[in-house]
Amino acid sequence: LFWALQIFVSKLGYNAGAKPVSFTLQSAFVALIVLSIYVLPRHFKKVTHLSRHILVGLLIANAVHFGLGGFFSNSGVALTSAVNAGFLVKFALVTTTILAWIFLKEKMTMIKFTAVLVMLFGNFLISTKGQTIVPHIGDVFIIIACLCWSIGNILIRNTLQKHDVHADITTFLRPIAGIPVLLFFVLLTPLYPASVQKMFAINLWDFRYLPYALVSGVCTALLWIYLNRTLKVASASYMTMMSMMTSIFVAILALTFLKESMNLSSIVGAVLTIAAGIVTHYSGVAKA
């Protein structure tokens, strides 16, 4: 739900003229402030007593997830169509499930495999409304972003499984690790192709869209909190599979407030995604 709200508010900001990279960074700074207020008073001693091994591991995981993932996803959006981007970001469902099977030894049951395929197809119908995807070079960057998100989730799940670390501490470290990576890639803007330069040539001090960034940042903080809490108590593949419900919430918000429409393909996709989500929840995937 918070992911859907974050996407919805970001869409409002982009419609108003906000630039994706600067908006992402401003939202991340807001999220950092919110997380600092929420997490530090509760877990300050635990944060300061983290072993160097665990701290470095979590920082690397979050840098890969938010820093590298954010760079490649924004680059991909700049070089592909909105239809392709809307669907391909869901490819993280496939990459996370496969990597969790390989590295976390999570089971690959027929129910899980079928649910993944149904969810992916359902989200394809929702995102593209049944349109044919024409490949772009940016599609490769988005798939790399999906790999970064998946690797980050796998590393975090592995740490939360093996060590007594509160999930909220992991969440607090996400913007701390990710923002410097994103800023580093922003500094490299002159080296990028012209189409990507337009995306990363930003003005961080442009506060015209700050109200949207404030709301987006709060939703982002809550999104990270609940995703990482899920990774603490459930498998990585379960978390990713259930997060596919985001498309349903986004569709409801778009239909209600943005007056967007759904064709028959989108409706079929929504039904398939919801059905697969129900099966996933009751199939034991959370612990598998």
Side-chain angles (χ1 to χ4, degrees):
L1 178 60
F2 285 119
W3 200 345
L5 289 171
Q6 187 269 331
I7 292 172
F8 175 71
V9 173
S10 298
K11 176 67 173 177
L12 293 177
Y14 298 148
N15 287 346
K19 303 301 180 184
V21 176
S22 56
F23 188 85
T24 298
L25 282 167
Q26 289 177 356
S27 298
F29 279 112
V30 172
L32 175 58
I33 294 171
V34 171
L35 291 171
S36 298
I37 295 172
Y38 177 74
V39 175
L40 287 181
R42 297 165 178 258
H43 304 291
F44 181 76
K45 286 186 178 180
K46 293 180 180 178
V47 173
T48 57
H49 286 82
L50 277 179
S51 70
R52 180 177 298 180
H53 172 72
I54 294 175
L55 178 61
V56 171
L58 289 175
L59 287 173
I60 291 174
N62 282 306
V64 171
H65 191 291
F66 184 50
L68 290 178
F71 167 71
F72 283 113
S73 64
N74 279 295
S75 298
V77 169
L79 296 171
T80 192
S81 66
V83 170
N84 288 26
F87 168 65
L88 286 172
V89 292
K90 308 299 192 306
F91 197 72
L93 169 64
V94 176
T95 53
T96 298
T97 304
I98 292 175
L99 290 177
W101 174 46
I102 295 172
F103 295 104
L104 297 181
K105 308 305 179 185
E106 295 182 4
K107 295 179 181 178
M108 181 59 74
T109 63
M110 183 56 67
I111 291 178
K112 180 188 287 189
F113 180 74
T114 303
V116 166
L117 291 181
V118 172
M119 284 183 168
L120 196 63
F121 182 63
N123 274 268
F124 168 77
L125 294 177
I126 294 171
S127 302
T128 67
K129 296 184 178 180
Q131 298 179 43
T132 302
I133 286 183
V134 179
H136 297 80
I137 185 63
D139 298 349
V140 176
F141 287 119
I142 293 179
I143 291 174
I144 293 174
C146 290
L147 282 170
C148 291
W149 296 329
S150 298
I151 291 170
N153 285 332
I154 297 299
L155 292 173
I156 290 170
R157 170 64 175 167
N158 185 56
T159 300
L160 294 179
Q161 264 188 314
K162 293 183 176 179
H163 304 282
D164 183 23
V165 180
H166 199 286
D168 290 354
I169 294 175
T170 300
T171 304
F172 169 68
L173 294 175
R174 176 155 296 174
I176 291 177
I179 289 174
V181 176
L182 277 175
L183 289 174
F184 171 75
F185 283 117
V186 169
L187 292 175
L188 298 179
T189 298
L191 303 178
Y192 304 147
S195 54
V196 177
Q197 284 185 18
K198 293 178 182 178
M199 180 73 74
F200 283 86
I202 62 172
N203 178 12
L204 280 177
W205 309 110
D206 182 359
F207 297 122
R208 288 176 294 172
Y209 313 104
L210 186 59
Y212 297 108
L214 287 172
V215 179
S216 176
V218 172
C219 291
T220 298
L222 291 167
L223 157 67
W224 289 342
I225 285 172
Y226 285 108
L227 285 183
N228 283 326
R229 286 184 180 183
T230 303
L231 284 173
K232 182 69 175 180
V233 300
S235 65
S237 52
Y238 175 83
M239 182 277 288
T240 307
M241 292 170 74
M242 293 305 292
S243 71
M244 291 297 103
M245 297 299 292
T246 300
S247 296
I248 308 299
F249 293 126
V250 171
I252 292 172
L253 289 170
L255 286 169
T256 305
F257 298 103
L258 298 180
K259 307 304 178 183
E260 294 185 7
S261 60
M262 292 181 71
N263 62 11
L264 181 60
S265 295
S266 300
I267 294 172
V268 171
V271 172
L272 288 174
T273 302
I274 292 172
I278 293 172
V279 171
T280 297
H281 182 69
Y282 289 104
S283 66
V285 172
K287 299 301 180 183

